[in-house]
């Protein structure tokens, strides 16, 4: 076996896809999964077949790939700064898909109005619900809506990413912040004479706590595969992790071993609250204590497996791992049954 | 402009390539640059044209790509664990290139002897000089050499990666550790009746301090482009950074801005001693204080540039950034003059 490579377990993936679809249906929420996690046509189609109303993407390039593959309802959940070149790409995408884009500032609203009035699309205003990355104070949403409306851009609602759900103990409070922010932004839009039809939130950790009285739509991404971060946040167990890096132990010394799944296949994400650079399916107490491009240094809970052993390592953040490879193996009962292209890998 | 994308400045790259070639020549050292940094045929050829004796690579897949492109002297500086499948790939590579591989344990030596005796290659024994990742105690090198010799594998020397040079103030002491380790390993080999013809070390931070009395060859990689880590280690200045991510400011608030060069183009490497997730060419005092896949949160030294401004962001670790893209723009005086494929991207 020529390792490392990424593989997804078909049964676990299917279970994860169905489970989130059921959760959304039971709560009366629209599900628009974030496809940046998987970037695969086959998985986008599975999500839609199981009830998703469309897909979320992060970039124009991802929207190009999914719309070309027949996905006809896309939300670019990013505060785009358009140029004539990228505006032209949006126009082409809008021929193939119902298109929404994110707007996160008055400047961004003005630029969208300057360059995209001839493109059939609608705008969603991004709100900051506590992650303090992009997005505006919800009380300012009316001003942005006014700029868009004056510029001839339809505004259909508000969205937020409660990224501060990514810390132990935070998912439920982040979901509460999300709800109060979406409510305040919606109120601001109504005051500006604009009905916030879509109130979109949701991340994988916070999805279980979504306030369905306020929120109409959720956009979780990671749930389709899960990863070490989700395990450590308590969102799932190791048995729910669908995607792993098949790795070979190349050296060992007592409990410590080097495997060939470095940051070039796992990604280098390492938030301070995580217990290491990733996990190992075969030993729940093992930790990846150091990571360079081609070396994962693993502390096992007892004597490390001998060189040549194939182990399944779990990335901290599955989105960045998937973006490192051109294709992912599909496995059933541990046997490789096919490969799927990561069609939107590296697309901006 | 459709950002983000990676671009290399042709003049700075050329200067970096020439500068290290001159340094090695002046010190009487063979230069075998690590091609995992750039993964580009054009740059490998430039390095060889300027005097490199061959290239170093990290994986069999990289050796396949560079040997197929005509590079005829390759060192896979990794403690490979061979399987019948990968041994067969080595045989194919050895038809096209003089091939060396790393061996870092008795187990690895036995496996190489089992699977590669019909392949013309030579072995280099990996020593731990203080980075404590892979490699053996130099005093044990004789035992590994014996196993290889008994198995019919030619041993030509020892190598080490002084990775502990990657900390402020450490490059010169790491170079001293490298020298004493290579000397001890060489002595152990001689005691086993094996002449260590090649004594290979070197990383970009430690290259200036290489002990040319002990070392015969250096394998720096990053120097070809440099990056934020090298700037912060004092190895180079911002003016020596050849590769940047062209990024668009999409939002700002006072001194703070969001640019579209997230970890999907810069990579997520963030050693504890770095001052942030990367730097900005236009403002040496700016820091990337947070990074998610599509958002670089930047604190500028004064009012942030307005949305729509193109800025040049510098990754912490250029090797992982390059591995994220299929091609890199070539610029001369800021104008794009072409694109080079990252031919060995994602190859294991």
């Amino acid at each position: 076996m020529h390792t490392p490579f990424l593989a997804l377990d078909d049964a676990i993936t299917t279970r994860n896809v169905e489970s989130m679809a059921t959760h959304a249906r039971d709560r009366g929420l629209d599900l628009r999964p974030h496809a940046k996690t998987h970037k695969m046509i086959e998985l986008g189609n599975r999500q839609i077949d199981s009830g998703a109303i469309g897909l979320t993407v992060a970039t124009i390039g991802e929207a190009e790939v999914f719309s070309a593959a027949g996905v006809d309802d896309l939300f670019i959940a990013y505060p785009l700064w358009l140029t004539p070149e990228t505006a032209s790409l949006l126009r082409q995408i809008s021929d193939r898909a119902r298109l929404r884009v994110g707007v996160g500032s008055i400047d961004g609203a003005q630029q969208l109005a300057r360059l995209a009035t001839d493109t059939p699309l609608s705008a969603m205003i991004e709100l900051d619900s506590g992650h303090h990355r992009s997005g505006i104070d919800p009380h300012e949403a009316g001003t942005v809506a006014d700029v868009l409306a004056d510029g001839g851009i339809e505004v259909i609602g508000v969205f937020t990413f409660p990224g501060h759900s990514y810390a132990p103990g935070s998912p439920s409070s982040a979901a509460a912040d999300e709800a109060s922010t979406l409510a305040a932004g919606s109120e601001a839009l109504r005051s500006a004479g604009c009905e916030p039809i879509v109130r979109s939130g949701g991340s994988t950790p916070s999805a279980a706590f979504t306030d369905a009285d306020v929120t109409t739509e959720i956009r979780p991404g990671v749930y389709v595969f899960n990863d070490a971060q989700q395990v450590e946040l308590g969102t799932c167990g190791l048995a729910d992790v669908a995607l792993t890096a098949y790795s070979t132990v190349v050296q060992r010394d007592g409990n410590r071993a080097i495997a060939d799944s470095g940051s070039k296949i796992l990604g280098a994400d390492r938030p301070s609250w995580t217990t290491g650079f990733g996990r190992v399916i075969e030993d729940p107490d093992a930790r990846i204590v150091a990571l360079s491009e081609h070396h994962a240094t693993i502390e096992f809970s007892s004597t490390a497996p001998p060189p040549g052993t194939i182990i399944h390592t779990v990335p901290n953040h599955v989105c960045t791992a998937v973006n490192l490879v051109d294709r992912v193996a599909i496995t059933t009962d541990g046997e490789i049954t096919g490969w799927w292209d990561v069609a939107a890998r590296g697309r901006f």
Side-chain angles (χ1 to χ4, degrees), chain A residues 79-284:
Chain A
L80 295 176
W81 182 268
L82 285 190
T83 63
E85 181 182 351
T86 52
S88 151
L89 297 175
L90 281 190
R91 263 192 297 284
Q92 294 167 34
I93 295 163
S94 73
D95 290 339
R96 305 189 291 256
R98 199 161 73 112
L99 185 62
R100 292 184 199 166
V101 302
V103 178
S105 65
I106 291 172
D107 291 327
Q110 289 169 335
Q111 184 76 347
L112 188 67
R114 266 194 293 272
L115 291 172
T117 41
D118 59 344
T119 300
L121 55 72
S122 48
M124 295 274 288
I125 298 174
E126 186 177 22
L127 310 176
D128 179 5
S129 56
H131 184 37
H132 306 321
R133 187 178 66 180
S134 52
I136 58 166
D137 182 307
H139 304 96
E140 295 169 15
T143 313
V144 176
D146 283 342
V147 171
L148 289 165
D150 290 350
I153 303 285
E154 181 193 32
V155 179
I156 57 166
V158 288
F159 77 107
T160 190
F161 172 62
H164 54 315
S165 62
Y166 276 76
S170 301
S172 68
S173 61
D177 292 343
E178 167 185 286
S180 62
T181 302
L182 290 176
S186 297
E187 191 50 44
L189 247 63
R190 284 191 194 98
S191 298
C194 170
E195 182 56 30
I197 302 163
V198 183
R199 303 179 296 278
S200 178
S203 63
T204 295
S206 63
F209 307 99
T210 305
D211 183 338
D213 291 336
V214 173
T215 311
T216 64
E217 170 185 287
I218 54 173
R219 308 184 317 277
V222 171
Y223 77 95
V224 67
F225 297 139
N226 289 312
D227 55 24
Q229 287 190 145
Q230 300 301 328
V231 171
E232 301 199 348
L233 288 169
T235 311
C236 70
L238 269 182
D240 304 309
V241 172
L243 186 139
T244 60
Y246 277 54
S247 322
T248 299
V249 173
V250 298
Q251 254 177 248
R252 72 161 165 183
D253 182 8
N255 289 8
R256 201 177 176 97
I258 304 290
D260 61 7
S261 56
S263 64
K264 199 175 130 179
I265 190 94
L266 290 179
D269 290 57
R270 206 310 198 185
S272 58
W273 52 267
T274 54
T275 63
F277 289 91
R279 302 287 285 260
V280 179
I281 293 288
E282 287 80 1
D283 181 355

